Amino acid sequence: TSGGNLSIRDEDGSIWITPARVDKGALRVEDIVRVLPDGSIEGRHKPSSEFPFHRQIYQQRPDLKAIVHAHPVALVAFSICGRAPDTRLFSKARAVCGEVGFAPYALPGSQLLGERIARVFAEGHDCVMLENHGVVVGGTDFPDAFRRFETLEFVAKTVVKARALGEVRYLTNQQVIVGETRDPELDEFDPGPATSEERALRRELCDFIRRGYHQRLLTANAGSFSVRLDEDSFLISTQWVDRATITPDQLALVRNGRRERGTPPSRAWKLHQWIYQQHPEIRSIVNATPVNATAFSASAQRLDTRTIPESYIFLRDVAVFPFSTMYETPEKIAEQVTPEFPIAMVENDCALVIGKSILDAFDRLEVLESTAEALILSCSLGEVRPMGDEVIDELVQAFLS
């Protein structure tokens, strides 16, 4: 309501910024304040009291056109401990956020604070932690800035959750390079008019992708969801498309190792293709980044599904694959992820879920995340008491035979 501020720099040098002391939950277009290059102000309100550091950042970084300053809880936790999150937790996070800078404390709204923050941005950082304050993130446009901001808070939350499980595992610099090395471009084809079945599947898949985003099972730029169209084809989410607003025409059709013209598929397309080829009964796949399940991927702690009946019935035992498998030998994952064992974790990357329909895959994903959260919460209560072999055998006989 009152904390944080956002700005965009216009082509003429004007800075458009959120106003001071106006409820951000009810902002209207006319509430945004314009500060012209000469310092004059247009609008019905005063600009945010933090305007000085926005202006100083833009002066130091002509390439930046948008800034987010906020106080999300996990990043605030880092700021009050005098630390910055290590984005090498995930290769995509490193690619999106880079190395995070840190600015020493100064009075909010002061010239000194602006100087300290701008100095760190001038060193080349796009994300800067503010000691005992929060975070400032810049981007080439507002979606770029928001993507960095959301990704950084996701990293911070995951680190906090993973630390509850034990030591946190980070990627090496070489692994980061492997994770962001681009595959050769797929050949393109013109698929022709979509069938009614394809149009319905596109709508359904988009509905679940957006639902997954709003439930924090996916982030805006991470997480891949696909659905089989026929024996040789599947639809999959595309690269750099916001999961919160994805539309049916922004999905990619992949057929026999080629993609429809103009829509680059998620990098996970190769893994999804391997799984569909090896398991004809599988109709939907999701690589997801729910924070609690993903915390297990960054920890040596095993995600034990033998804790409540529903968890084991839906998830069975969860396989774990080394980080490089996702990018170098995806066929090995496809061999082991089966309808009988539908869940896997890829170290420092994602949770992988398969299903016999989009709903089935999504349902399992929800159960996986709630199970992971319960396990993490239990760390503060005492030793976990998993169900014994006799109970598991009884569940298998009753529900899985």
Side-chain angles (χ1 to χ4, degrees):
T1 300
S2 60
N5 30 81
L6 318 173
S7 73
I8 295 175
R9 179 166 55 175
D10 215 336
E11 292 301 322
D12 67 356
S14 297
I15 298 172
W16 299 80
I17 190 166
T18 48
R21 296 182 297 279
V22 176
D23 178 10
K24 292 180 182 62
L27 280 178
R28 302 170 64 149
V29 172
E30 54 267 29
D31 292 319
I32 305 302
V33 182
R34 182 185 186 187
V35 183
L36 281 74
D38 63 6
S40 58
I41 296 172
E42 292 182 358
R44 60 170 67 176
H45 307 290
K46 293 181 179 180
S48 166
S49 62
E50 303 280 23
F51 173 76
F53 76 63
H54 287 252
R55 179 177 55 199
Q56 288 173 271
I57 292 169
Y58 288 132
Q59 289 171 348
Q60 291 291 336
R61 291 286 301 276
D63 58 310
L64 299 181
K65 304 297 183 184
I67 292 171
V68 177
H69 166 54
H71 315 123
V73 291
L75 287 171
V76 166
F78 272 85
S79 81
I80 61 181
C81 292
R83 296 180 54 194
D86 187 341
T87 54
R88 290 178 304 152
L89 195 69
F90 307 109
S91 62
K92 183 175 286 292
R94 191 66 164 190
V96 170
C97 300
E99 183 178 356
V100 182
F102 193 90
Y105 178 83
L107 180 71
S110 67
Q111 182 72 15
L112 178 59
L113 178 63
E115 292 171 359
R116 289 180 172 177
I117 298 172
R119 187 179 304 125
V120 183
F121 271 96
E123 293 170 357
H125 298 285
D126 296 319
C127 304
V128 178
M129 298 296 302
L130 313 185
E131 185 177 22
N132 291 93
H133 191 156
V135 66
V136 181
V137 176
T140 55
D141 56 24
F142 200 82
D144 184 46
F146 182 80
R147 181 165 52 242
R148 285 195 174 116
F149 168 68
E150 183 185 47
T151 300
L152 191 60
E153 172 69 354
F154 169 71
V155 169
K157 282 184 176 179
T158 307
V159 169
V160 172
K161 299 279 187 174
R163 281 181 63 88
L165 297 169
E167 184 177 354
V168 182
R169 176 177 53 233
Y170 292 92
L171 297 172
T172 65
N173 291 334
Q174 182 58 39
Q175 287 174 315
V176 170
I177 293 171
V178 168
E180 287 308 303
T181 300
R182 295 297 168 190
D183 296 324
E185 286 291 323
L186 290 175
D187 291 337
E188 296 183 332
F189 72 99
D190 292 310
T195 64
S196 58
E197 178 190 10
E198 179 183 336
R199 291 194 297 271
L201 283 174
R202 283 178 179 268
R203 290 192 297 270
E204 183 182 5
L205 187 58
C206 284
D207 287 344
F208 275 100
I209 291 172
R210 291 191 295 263
R211 181 173 166 183
Y213 174 80
H214 290 296
Q215 291 182 211
R216 294 295 182 256
L217 302 173
L218 311 167
T219 61
N221 71 309
S224 306
F225 216 139
S226 74
V227 60
R228 185 194 292 271
L229 185 58
D230 55 43
E231 184 178 351
D232 302 314
S233 310
F234 59 94
L235 299 164
I236 189 168
S237 50
T238 44
Q239 298 178 29
W240 304 110
V241 171
D242 191 336
R243 273 60 170 172
T245 58
I246 190 168
T247 56
D249 62 303
Q250 292 175 319
L251 297 173
L253 173 62
V254 177
R255 177 175 294 156
N256 293 324
R258 298 187 301 158
R259 67 174 173 92
E260 66 175 304
R261 194 173 306 281
T263 51
S266 161
R267 287 194 65 203
W269 76 267
K270 190 180 296 185
L271 171 61
H272 289 219
Q273 180 171 270
W274 273 105
I275 294 173
Y276 286 130
Q277 288 175 344
Q278 296 205 21
H279 307 289
E281 63 273 54
I282 294 306
R283 306 295 301 179
S284 188
I285 305 167
V286 57
N287 295 75
T289 53
V291 65
N292 293 285
T294 309
F296 279 90
S297 81
S299 166
Q301 184 69 34
R302 173 172 166 256
L303 199 163
D304 191 352
T305 59
R306 301 183 174 217
T307 44
I308 61 173
E310 184 184 50
S311 295
Y312 191 77
I313 292 167
F314 275 78
L315 309 177
R316 302 295 294 268
D317 293 315
V318 178
V320 180
F321 294 94
F323 170 79
S324 60
T325 314
M326 177 82 173
Y327 303 98
E328 297 176 349
T329 54
E331 65 274 15
K332 292 184 178 179
I333 299 177
E335 290 171 1
Q336 295 187 48
V337 178
T338 68
E340 292 74 32
F341 295 96
I343 311 293
M345 302 296 299
V346 180
E347 293 179 349
N348 292 87
D349 196 286
C350 67
L352 175 67
V353 180
I354 62 176
K356 295 182 179 180
S357 67
I358 299 174
L359 175 61
D360 186 37
F362 190 85
D363 193 7
R364 292 181 193 278
L365 178 59
E366 285 185 320
V367 174
L368 175 67
E369 175 64 353
S370 62
T371 302
E373 183 174 15
L375 286 167
I376 292 172
L377 292 174
S378 72
C379 292
S380 64
L381 300 174
E383 185 177 353
V384 173
R385 299 169 60 186
M387 299 178 294
D389 291 342
E390 290 184 6
V391 175
I392 296 298
D393 290 342
E394 182 183 41
L395 289 172
V396 171
Q397 289 296 320
F399 296 99
L400 301 172
S401 296

